[in-house]
Amino acid sequence: MLDHSTKAPIARIDGLRVEFQTKDGPVVGVEDVSFNIHPGETVCVVGESGSGKSVSSLSLMRLVEFGGGEIAAGKLMFDRGQGAAAIDLADTTQDDMRGIRGNEIGMIFQEPMTALNPVFTVGKQLTEGLRLHKNMSKADAEARALELMTQVRIPEPKKRLTQYPHELSGGMRQRVVIAMALACEPRLLIADEPTTALDVTIQAEILALMDRLKRETGTAVMFITHDMAVVAQMADRVVVMFRGNKVEEGTVEEIFENPQHPYTKALLAAVPKLGEMTGKDYPEPMKLLGSEDKPIVPIKGTEEVLLTVNHLTTRFAVTGGLLRRTVANVHAVEDLSFTINKGQTLSLVGESGCGKSTAGRSILRLVEPMSGEVNVGGKDIMALNTQDLRTARLDMQMIFQDPFASLNPQMNLSDQVAEPIHNYQTLKGAAVAERVEMLFDRVELPRSFMRRFPHELSGGQRQRVAIARALALNPKLIIADEAVSALDVSVQAQVLNLMMELQAEMELSFLFISHDMAVVERVSHYVGVMYLGRIVELGPRREVFENPAHPYTQALMKAVPIADPRKRKAEKDLNFKPIPSPIHPISYVAEPSVYRDLGKGHKVLITDSGY
C-alpha cells in the first residue's frame, strides 16, 4: 500500500466542533474531530447515523449552515494547489465557497433523488457545473457530459442525457450524481454513502471506478460510509466516529485486524459476511456484542403455503408521438412464479431495474399487473374489487426503501404508527395508544420518540418507525423493499434480528427485496435471483449460494465486497455485460420462462439472454 503521508495534506480538519440550535437548546453534531486527507489517498470515515460523519463532510463544503448547523470551533484547512497558500474554509465567505464547491471539492450525496433537480434533464444538470466553473461552450460541455456518463457506465448514455431524474432507476441516478461530482476533476472528492442504495454489481463497478479515477487524477477522497465491506475495499486509512467524536484512527489493516476501541469491535461484529451461513439450512439471528448469552435459534418456518404467485407479468407503456400513443412497453416483470410459506422468507435479489421492486408492488397491486395470479392465504388478489382489496391489505403490508419518503413529515410518529389502526378500526380508544407503545417497544425505540417528527430521527430510527407501522395491523405477509439497505451496520444487524425474532414469534412471512447478498444469505429460506424482469435462478438459500448455477448468479456473488482488506476486488475481475434494454415494441412476444430442475427445489432458467 502506498504511503501518502509524505505529501502535504489536501485537507486538514482540526478540532472541528459543530452545533445545531434547536428548541431545547444547542445540540452538538460534532464535538472534537481532527484528521488529515492526503493527495491520492482514500480516508474512510465510518460510524453510525448520528455519529457526526456527514456533518463533518458538510462542514468541509460549508453546507452545514444551510441545515441549521454552525461551525463553533476548529479549522478546516484546504490546499488549493498551484503553489497557493492553504485556506481555512471555516472563515471563507459563501461567495468564495461557490467557486470551490463542485470545482475544487466535489461531493457525492447519499440521496440521489434529492441531490438532483427534478425539473431539469440529466444533461442540463451535468453541463451546468462545467459551463459555470470551466467556461465551456455548450457543445464542449455536452460532449464532456456524454464522456462522463460513459465513464460511470450508464447504458444508452445519449438517451439518458435528455431524460429527467424520475425516469432513471436509483442506481442510475446515483451514477449521474457521481458523474456530476467528477465533472470538474476536483482535488478533493467527498463521497457521502455513495453506494448505499446501489446493487452489488454497480457498487463494485462504482468503487472500482472511484478507485481508478483517484489513482489517475491523484484526487483525495473522503469516503463516508457505514458499510465495513466497502471500507475494506476502498480505504487507505480509516477514521471511526462515535457520537460526534473520533474514537479510533488507523490504516485499514490495523482497524480490521486489530481494532482497539470497543465500539470498533462492535461495529465489525455486526457486519454480515458472505459465507457465514454456509452449511446451515435455516436463517438465524446474528450474534451481536452484548447479546452473546442469547441462544441462537434457527427459524424453520412452516410447510404451509401463504403466498402463491403464478406467471405474474407487469409492463409499463411507453408513449410517443403527437397523440401520446403507446409505442412500446417496459417489460418490468415477465412471467414470475414462486411461493412463500408461512413463517418463511423468500428474497428477491438483483440489480436496480431488474424488476424486483415492481414485483413486490404488483403483488400488493400498488402497481396493476398485466396478467398472472396472486394468491394470499387462499384469496385471489387479482380478482378483488377496490373495497375487497383494501380489506385484503390487512394481511399484507410493505416496508419501503426510503423511510423519509414513506413517512408523513407533518405528522408525529405515534400518529403515523396508529394511522393504519384508525383506518381499519381494528382497535378503539385507549387500546390504540397501548398498541402503539407496544410497537415502539418492539422496534426498540424510546417512547419519548412518539411525539417527534420524522426529520428529528436518524435514518435507522425512521426505518424502525416504518417497521412498527407495518406491524400495526398484525399482517401475515410483509414485503420489505430494500428495508435495511440505507441503515448502519449495527442498526441493520439489530433491525434484521428484530425482523427475524418477529418472524419466529408471529409466523410472519417476508418477501425480502434486496441487493445485499450477505444480508440475503443471513435472512432467507429461499432465494430468487432476478435479471431483466425474470427469475433466472430460484431455490433454497443454501443451494443457490453454495451451488450457483446461472452465470448471472455467479457474477453477482463475485461482485460482493468482503469485509477483509486483503480480499480486495480488482476492476479486471468485474466483467459485467451491459444489461440489455427492457423496452420492447408492442409487437414483441415474450417467451415463457422455462426452467431446468436441479433437484431439492433448485431451478435455473434455460435462456439465451446474454447471460
Side-chain angles (χ1 to χ4, degrees):
M1 195 160 286
L2 299 171
D3 181 21
H4 302 277
S5 54
T6 50
K7 299 176 191 164
I10 280 186
R12 201 172 82 239
I13 296 179
D14 198 1
L16 176 67
R17 180 183 175 89
V18 181
E19 293 177 357
F20 291 85
Q21 298 304 326
T22 67
K23 292 195 287 279
D24 305 328
V27 170
V28 178
V30 171
E31 205 169 325
D32 178 14
V33 169
S34 307
F35 60 89
N36 299 343
I37 306 166
H38 292 87
E41 175 183 49
T42 301
V43 173
C44 278
V45 182
V46 294
E48 319 215 321
S49 47
S51 65
K53 55 189 192 304
S54 290
V55 173
S56 310
S57 69
L58 290 171
S59 303
L60 258 181
M61 290 288 271
R62 285 288 302 283
L63 292 171
V64 76
E65 287 104 300
F66 298 103
E70 177 197 353
I71 298 172
K75 285 191 165 67
L76 300 167
M77 302 308 291
F78 178 62
D79 174 11
R80 301 186 74 169
Q82 288 129 4
I87 56 166
D88 184 357
L89 296 177
D91 293 338
T92 307
T93 65
Q94 284 293 354
D95 276 354
D96 289 346
M97 280 307 301
R98 210 162 287 138
I100 292 171
R101 267 186 224 121
N103 192 17
E104 295 174 58
I105 304 179
M107 181 142 185
I108 303 166
F109 292 94
Q110 179 171 1
E111 292 276 334
M113 201 58 209
T114 44
L116 293 170
N117 189 328
V119 298
F120 291 121
T121 62
V122 166
K124 172 113 175 66
Q125 298 187 56
L126 261 175
T127 53
E128 185 184 26
L130 292 164
R131 298 190 69 182
L132 178 76
H133 294 301
K134 299 288 186 211
N135 294 325
M136 283 187 176
S137 68
K138 191 173 183 212
D140 286 351
E142 281 171 0
R144 172 82 175 124
L146 190 63
E147 202 180 294
L148 285 160
M149 295 282 272
T150 314
Q151 215 173 11
V152 293
R153 291 202 48 185
I154 287 185
E156 305 176 68
K158 209 171 189 128
K159 182 180 166 203
R160 304 284 175 222
L161 287 170
T162 60
Q163 290 182 309
Y164 289 87
H166 71 269
E167 297 179 83
L168 305 183
S169 70
M172 280 194 210
R173 286 198 289 261
Q174 191 60 292
R175 291 198 228 188
V176 170
V177 174
I178 290 172
M180 282 167 68
L182 296 170
C184 296
E185 297 173 340
R187 286 174 59 72
L188 172 65
L189 182 63
I190 300 173
D192 187 0
E193 307 270 13
T195 58
T196 298
L198 299 187
D199 317 311
V200 222
T201 50
I202 296 170
Q203 168 172 292
E205 284 172 358
I206 281 176
L207 295 179
L209 165 86
M210 287 177 68
D211 209 39
R212 188 183 78 229
L213 295 168
K214 177 194 82 172
R215 282 199 308 275
E216 287 171 1
T217 58
T219 302
V221 182
M222 175 177 171
F223 200 104
I224 295 161
T225 183
H226 59 249
D227 186 334
M228 296 307 276
V230 169
V231 174
Q233 179 73 22
M234 293 293 287
D236 296 310
R237 269 187 313 121
V238 182
V239 172
V240 183
M241 284 185 69
F242 180 59
R243 293 192 181 156
N245 287 295
K246 177 177 86 174
V247 293
E248 190 163 352
E249 180 179 2
T251 66
V252 65
E253 284 87 358
E254 287 166 355
I255 296 288
F256 274 83
E257 288 162 19
N258 190 18
Q260 299 300 309
H261 195 275
Y263 175 68
T264 315
K265 291 177 184 169
L267 209 53
L268 288 164
V271 180
K273 294 178 192 68
L274 196 66
E276 274 185 326
M277 301 295 288
T278 303
K280 297 178 180 177
D281 287 322
Y282 299 109
E284 51 188 53
M286 292 175 73
K287 263 196 162 64
L288 299 179
L289 282 185
S291 63
E292 289 92 340
D293 47 347
K294 260 193 183 176
I296 296 286
V297 183
I299 300 161
K300 289 188 176 169
T302 68
E303 294 301 309
E304 183 190 334
V305 175
L306 175 74
L307 169 73
T308 309
V309 175
N310 278 325
H311 307 297
L312 184 70
T313 300
T314 303
R315 293 177 190 162
F316 300 113
V318 178
T319 54
L322 283 173
L323 301 172
R324 312 293 289 156
R325 284 203 184 101
T326 301
V327 289
N329 285 307
V330 178
H331 290 240
V333 174
E334 197 61 61
D335 198 12
L336 218 59
S337 303
F338 57 83
T339 59
I340 301 181
N341 288 352
K342 199 173 168 187
Q344 290 197 348
T345 301
L346 169 85
S347 291
L348 287 181
V349 291
E351 300 180 66
S352 58
C354 74
K356 53 189 192 299
S357 291
T358 306
R361 286 161 192 243
S362 300
I363 289 165
L364 291 177
R365 273 181 62 191
L366 294 173
V367 171
E368 280 297 335
M370 202 178 97
S371 62
E373 179 195 335
V374 177
N375 193 304
V376 176
K379 272 188 204 138
D380 181 357
I381 299 298
M382 300 295 281
L384 299 177
N385 62 26
T386 318
Q387 189 55 45
D388 293 341
L389 179 61
R390 186 174 183 274
T391 314
R393 285 198 180 134
L394 271 165
D395 291 339
M396 316 183 283
Q397 288 295 310
M398 188 149 188
I399 303 167
F400 293 94
Q401 177 171 2
D402 180 358
F404 199 60
S406 64
L407 294 173
N408 184 335
Q410 294 169 326
M411 279 171 81
N412 74 24
L413 299 173
S414 65
D415 289 347
Q416 302 211 37
V417 173
E419 193 179 19
I421 303 171
H422 291 310
N423 276 348
Y424 284 92
Q425 298 183 334
T426 51
L427 295 169
K428 297 264 176 17
V432 179
E434 266 174 44
R435 174 104 182 123
V436 171
E437 284 177 356
M438 185 276 288
L439 288 163
F440 268 77
D441 295 346
R442 286 313 316 253
V443 296
E444 292 167 12
L445 281 176
R447 290 185 180 183
S448 60
F449 277 30
M450 288 165 62
R451 291 192 309 281
R452 288 195 185 185
F453 290 85
H455 69 271
E456 298 178 280
L457 269 59
S458 71
Q461 291 165 340
R462 285 200 285 264
Q463 196 56 293
R464 286 167 186 247
V465 174
I467 292 172
R469 188 178 57 180
L471 291 171
L473 297 172
N474 271 337
K476 295 181 180 138
L477 171 70
I478 291 185
I479 295 178
D481 186 2
E482 303 275 14
V484 295
S485 67
L487 303 186
D488 308 316
V489 220
S490 65
V491 176
Q492 173 179 289
Q494 289 160 11
V495 169
L496 288 174
N497 278 3
L498 170 74
M499 286 165 79
M500 287 193 262
E501 281 162 25
L502 294 167
Q503 179 173 46
E505 195 180 302
M506 299 155 77
E507 288 203 330
L508 283 172
S509 301
F510 282 106
L511 175 64
F512 194 85
I513 296 165
S514 179
H515 58 252
D516 187 330
M517 301 297 272
V519 166
V520 164
E521 185 189 37
R522 171 61 64 180
V523 303
S524 312
H525 294 80
Y526 289 85
V527 175
V529 180
M530 281 188 77
Y531 177 73
L532 266 186
R534 292 180 193 266
I535 288 184
V536 294
E537 188 162 354
L538 178 69
R541 185 258 314 146
R542 188 173 168 183
E543 291 300 316
V544 174
F545 272 74
E546 293 177 27
N547 311 304
H550 197 276
Y552 178 68
T553 314
Q554 293 162 357
L556 214 51
M557 299 287 188
K558 204 178 266 178
V560 180
I562 295 166
D564 181 344
R566 300 193 190 279
K567 292 184 184 165
R568 291 194 170 183
K569 308 265 190 261
E571 202 167 9
K572 62 179 191 308
D573 301 338
L574 308 169
N575 54 342
F576 297 108
K577 301 180 176 74
I579 296 178
S581 170
I583 300 172
H584 297 290
I586 298 177
S587 56
Y588 177 81
V589 179
E591 292 177 8
S593 301
V594 183
Y595 293 91
R596 188 168 81 244
D597 195 343
L598 303 174
K600 296 186 183 171
H602 188 184
K603 299 187 297 189
V604 65
L605 186 71
I606 303 167
T607 174
D608 59 347
S609 65
Y611 259 104

